[in-house]
Amino acid sequence: MIKKTTYILLSSFFTCAVLAFIEHGIEINYVIKTVCKISFFFIVVWVYMKLFKDFHFKQVLALSKMGRREWLKVMILGISSAGIVLAAYLLFLPQIDLNLIQQDLTDRLGITATGFIFVGIYVSFGNSLLEEYFFRGFIFFNLPRKWGYIYSPLLFASYHIPMIMLWFTAEIILICFIGLWVIGLVFQLVNEKNRTIWASWIIHICADLMIIIIGLNLFY
């Protein structure tokens, strides 16, 4: 167990540190950064599977683990998460420079108005699955429970900060960090009973869809 825990902690921390460096240390577009993220996440999980042989890619994706009541609860939480995102946006809008965000997306990440639509679809459905699989399906489910509840949401929150650090003030970034940490805890709570990532993924999709809908204002 110690070896498994050590591997998960070190490999996931290293991966997120490298991704943070790639985010700002190398001038590459969003597509290449996405390929790097997918590759690093896959390699970390694949190596774990080869070393310890107690985890399989499919085991956290089993639909049979979700009952009707769970799906209803998830949908309510998903709609609520979208509402919270919208409320937070409206609350902090006076402190947000939308032109700065749009310029960063275009200049640094190479995202155009047309490209934003495709990026939005990927972020909402593909990237959300990738993150849920890595942070909840892999890290949380394979760490000792106490370690999982401490480490996974902290890493999840920290991993997002480099992506938004040029967009907001220090105060808003701190609020985002706390919010992401709380979200990480909630995602783990809704997943823990059935040991599948479907619940958190659906909620994650709803939140990301609202973010993308809001983001359309940047280009249209």
Side-chain angles (χ1 to χ4, degrees), residues 62-78:
L63 273 172
S64 59
K65 296 180 179 181
M66 293 285 292
R68 180 177 296 180
R69 292 186 64 182
E70 282 83 1
W71 281 112
L72 178 60
K73 180 174 69 175
V74 166
M75 294 309 300
I76 293 173
L77 288 172

Side-chain angles (χ1 to χ4, degrees), residues 108-127:
R108 185 171 63 87
L109 299 178
I111 299 175
T112 62
T114 302
F116 185 80
I117 301 296
F118 295 99
V119 169
I121 294 172
Y122 165 73
V123 166
S124 298
F125 297 96
N127 188 69

Side-chain angles (χ1 to χ4, degrees), residues 6-26:
T6 301
Y7 172 81
I8 293 172
L9 294 178
L10 292 180
S11 63
S12 59
F13 180 83
F14 174 78
T15 294
C16 290
V18 171
L19 292 176
F21 172 75
I22 291 174
E23 185 69 30
H24 294 287
I26 304 176

Side-chain angles (χ1 to χ4, degrees), residues 6 17 31 65 111 122 127 139 161 181 185-186 192 201 209 215-216 219:
T6 301
V31 173
K65 296 180 179 181
I111 299 175
Y122 165 73
N127 188 69
I139 296 176
I161 297 306
W181 173 71
L185 287 174
V186 172
E192 187 172 25
W201 183 31
L209 280 173
L216 290 173
F219 294 98

